[in-house]
Amino acid sequence: MRTDAPGPDDDVADFAAAVHAVVLRLRRLGERRLGLELLPTSELEVLAHVIDHPDATVTTVARALGLQSSNVSTTVQHLVTKGLMERLPDPRDGRRTLLRPTTKAQDDRRRIDGAWTAVLGQFLDELPDADRGAALAATMALARLAEIDLG
């Protein structure tokens, strides 16, 4: 973090670096504590989207994430091989394949969410009250940031 007077772009860069650092720590401490394999970011992103949007297609996932369909298809194959996703024929259109997370993927997601909550709780407990309050006050703004579609 900077010690000189930051400008607006510096503030954004500092915020981005802080969010990135927290996410990396959460992944290391959360998933590893559970003994789960750390998925590559591309697999994690596709899997998270399918968990949140079951019965998506490769095309809809690619569009939503701003990725190439061929890359999503390859990623899906890796997730299927790992037992985290399944491909099912669309009962309304046999030419389409629907993507669904497996029970294992859904269970892992719940365990990860719990681990992240525990780790973040420990982080927050270490902060001074004012910093803890500021971090918790940012919850809605962070949730809104996560929903913004820049694609």
Side-chain angles (χ1 to χ4, degrees):
M1 295 286 172
R2 288 176 195 11
T3 56
D4 57 336
D9 290 340
D10 294 335
D11 290 343
V12 173
D14 288 345
F15 180 76
V19 168
H20 189 237
V22 168
V23 168
L24 291 176
R25 293 256 340 255
L26 285 170
R27 288 201 75 202
R28 274 196 314 273
L29 297 174
E31 282 104 317
R32 285 194 180 141
R33 279 186 183 177
L34 295 172
L36 298 174
E37 173 186 357
L38 284 177
L39 297 176
T41 303
S42 59
E43 291 179 20
L44 185 63
E45 188 174 20
V46 169
L47 182 58
H49 185 81
V50 172
I51 288 173
D52 293 339
H53 304 91
D55 293 338
T57 64
V58 166
T59 302
T60 59
V61 172
R63 190 176 304 124
L65 299 178
L67 302 170
Q68 297 293 319
S69 290
S70 59
N71 293 341
V72 171
S73 184
T74 300
T75 300
V76 165
Q77 185 53 49
H78 292 161
L79 292 166
V80 167
T81 300
K82 292 176 180 180
L84 298 172
M85 190 174 294
E86 55 188 358
R87 293 179 176 169
L88 302 164
D90 185 337
R92 294 170 300 198
D93 182 350
R95 298 168 294 173
R96 291 178 6 137
T97 300
L98 304 178
L99 305 174
R100 284 197 193 143
T102 62
T103 301
K104 177 185 178 353
Q106 292 170 325
D107 290 345
D108 286 354
R109 167 86 176 260
R110 279 190 286 280
R111 291 175 57 212
I112 290 166
D113 289 349
W116 279 39
T117 298
V119 169
L120 274 171
Q122 291 171 341
F123 288 166
L124 290 169
D125 288 345
E126 295 299 316
L127 292 176
D129 288 343
D131 289 346
R132 185 180 198 285
L136 292 172
T139 300
M140 291 305 297
L142 289 170
R144 286 188 199 110
L145 285 174
E147 295 298 320
I148 293 172
D149 181 7
L150 298 176

